[in-house]
Amino acid sequence: MMLAVAIAFLSLSVCASTNAQPIRLNVASSGISPTQLPPYLAKDTGIYAKNGLEVTIVRTRPEIAVMSLLGGEASIIHIGGALTIRSNLRGADLAFIAAGAVATDYWFMGAKEIKTAQDLKGKLVGLASLRGSTIVASRYALDKIGLNADRDVQFIQIGGTPERLTALRTGRIQATLLSPPASLLAQKEGFTILADVTGLAFQNNGVVTSRKFIRERADVVRRYVKAHLEAVHLMKTNRETWITVLGKYIKQDRDILEKSYAIEVTDELFPKKQYPSLAAIKASIDEISDDEPKLKSLKPEAFADMSFIAELDKSGYIDDLYKNTRPSLR
């Protein structure tokens, strides 16, 4: 019901706009999860249409998303920091134009028989990959509970969150990082929370395009950034719509989705003003700097374009979005 109301409200804005044909845009996303929800919110509630955009969201692997951007099949992509940075070092010339999710939302969870840190010694810890947020956050979690990541456990690459949860359930691994709603489901099933690793600065899923596209289609980028800000605002202020849209793509019990909402819409994870986060980008740089000597001479600013967010911020647009609304945390 709330989703229908939101769509109807946004449709009024569409009708009041000019009769110009909407701009068609392919946007690549590496998946569907709470940290990847803004483009789906923007599409399903009519926010893109309100801003004169006809967006097709293409779900694909992050590496393919970059290739589709460079090849012209996609104009905007939602990916993480490490891949964006590595792509730039190889000549891609990409930039974060909006922050997206700039912190981790993980719990470090153990098998049901793992009750303490000592129980985990010599056991297998599952990762999404040997690069990226899960290895950084796993090391942080292990240090937090007093274990040495290099001596006390063995890492194994498993894959995405669903694959890691399955591996934990079947005993293939004894610990892993999980994010909502999988982490809450695992807790409900009796798995052990060994450490809370939410809020660790890291460029999770940000909004990225090429500097070439920025130069040639600045108006389109401006429209997209504006729509993204509106989607972030919607997720922070309309709990029911967030739950409805996420529930459309991720089939989960209502109580799990409700608990996920409270974790996922914090300003720590999704800043209201959505400036590309230099702290989050730096964390991604630090994660790969040992393998990329060129990074030693580059600053986080080299991978961000703040201009579109700054323009909307200075105009008062972002403050006006939140002026008469309050966060919907309950």
Side-chain angles (χ1 to χ4, degrees):
M1 180 65 180
M2 291 298 294
L3 178 59
V5 171
I7 292 173
F9 174 77
L10 289 165
S11 295
L12 293 176
S13 300
V14 179
C15 294
S17 65
T18 66
N19 293 322
Q21 289 295 314
I23 299 165
R24 292 183 179 179
L25 208 61
N26 287 336
V27 172
S29 169
S30 59
I32 178 67
S33 71
T35 59
Q36 297 164 315
L37 198 61
Y40 297 90
L41 272 172
K43 183 173 177 63
D44 288 6
T45 63
I47 288 175
Y48 285 141
K50 173 192 168 207
N51 285 280
L53 301 173
E54 184 181 321
V55 171
T56 298
I57 300 174
V58 180
R59 288 172 61 179
T60 186
R61 298 203 320 269
E63 297 82 1
I64 302 300
V66 172
M67 291 172 61
S68 69
L69 179 61
L70 297 178
E73 290 98 9
S75 301
I76 308 281
I77 59 178
H78 287 247
I79 60 171
L83 179 58
T84 302
I85 292 164
R86 286 188 189 277
S87 299
N88 270 18
L89 294 179
R90 286 149 183 75
D93 203 19
L94 309 181
F96 285 99
I97 53 175
V102 296
T104 56
D105 59 347
Y106 297 123
W107 286 347
F108 188 62
M109 306 195 73
K112 295 175 183 178
E113 68 272 15
I114 304 294
K115 302 299 183 184
T116 68
Q118 292 305 308
D119 294 337
L120 193 56
K121 278 194 170 184
K123 302 297 195 299
L124 287 175
V125 173
L127 302 172
S129 69
L130 299 178
R131 289 292 179 192
S133 63
T134 58
I135 182 67
V136 173
S138 292
R139 286 181 171 277
Y140 177 83
L142 289 163
D143 182 67
K144 193 173 181 178
I145 63 176
L147 294 182
N148 185 295
D150 296 315
R151 293 197 306 265
D152 293 333
V153 300
Q154 298 179 57
F155 289 121
I156 179 173
Q157 181 172 318
I158 297 294
T161 300
E163 290 78 16
R164 297 200 306 279
L165 178 55
T166 297
L168 193 63
R169 283 169 169 161
T170 58
R172 184 182 176 194
I173 57 175
Q174 286 71 55
T176 191
L177 291 168
L178 294 173
S179 57
S183 54
L184 292 159
L185 182 60
Q187 180 189 33
K188 190 174 182 179
E189 292 177 5
F191 292 95
T192 307
I193 302 174
L194 296 171
D196 185 337
V197 201
T198 56
L200 183 65
F202 200 82
Q203 186 57 61
N204 201 322
N205 285 287
V207 187
V208 175
T209 191
S210 68
R211 294 189 187 274
K212 180 177 182 290
F213 192 73
I214 291 172
R215 290 192 301 270
E216 295 178 353
R217 304 296 302 274
D219 178 60
V220 176
V221 177
R222 187 174 293 108
R223 288 170 187 252
Y224 192 86
V225 170
K226 184 169 174 285
H228 174 76
L229 285 167
E230 291 172 10
V232 171
H233 168 260
L234 180 64
M235 69 183 282
K236 286 177 172 292
T237 59
N238 194 319
R239 171 176 168 271
E240 192 63 31
T241 297
W242 187 94
I243 289 171
T244 300
V245 173
L246 183 62
K248 172 183 173 181
Y249 297 99
I250 298 177
K251 304 304 179 186
Q252 194 52 259
D253 292 343
R254 169 83 189 198
D255 67 313
I256 296 291
L257 294 175
E258 288 178 344
K259 290 175 182 176
S260 297
Y261 180 81
I263 296 170
E264 295 292 340
V265 302
T266 64
D267 289 346
E268 191 174 41
L269 184 58
F270 276 99
K272 289 177 182 176
K273 296 203 169 179
Q274 283 291 292
Y275 282 98
S277 170
L278 299 182
I281 295 172
K282 184 180 184 304
S284 296
I285 289 174
D286 291 343
E287 191 254 321
I288 62 174
S289 59
D290 287 346
D291 297 333
E292 301 286 359
K294 293 179 182 178
L295 284 176
K296 299 186 189 306
S297 62
L298 296 175
K299 295 182 178 180
E301 290 86 344
F303 306 99
D305 185 328
M306 307 281 186
S307 63
F308 296 96
I309 297 291
E311 178 184 299
L312 289 161
D313 187 14
K314 290 174 183 175
S315 73
Y317 178 76
I318 304 174
D319 289 332
D320 287 344
L321 272 178
Y322 290 90
K323 188 170 290 182
N324 298 314
T325 54
R326 295 180 179 179
S328 178
L329 294 177
R330 292 182 294 176

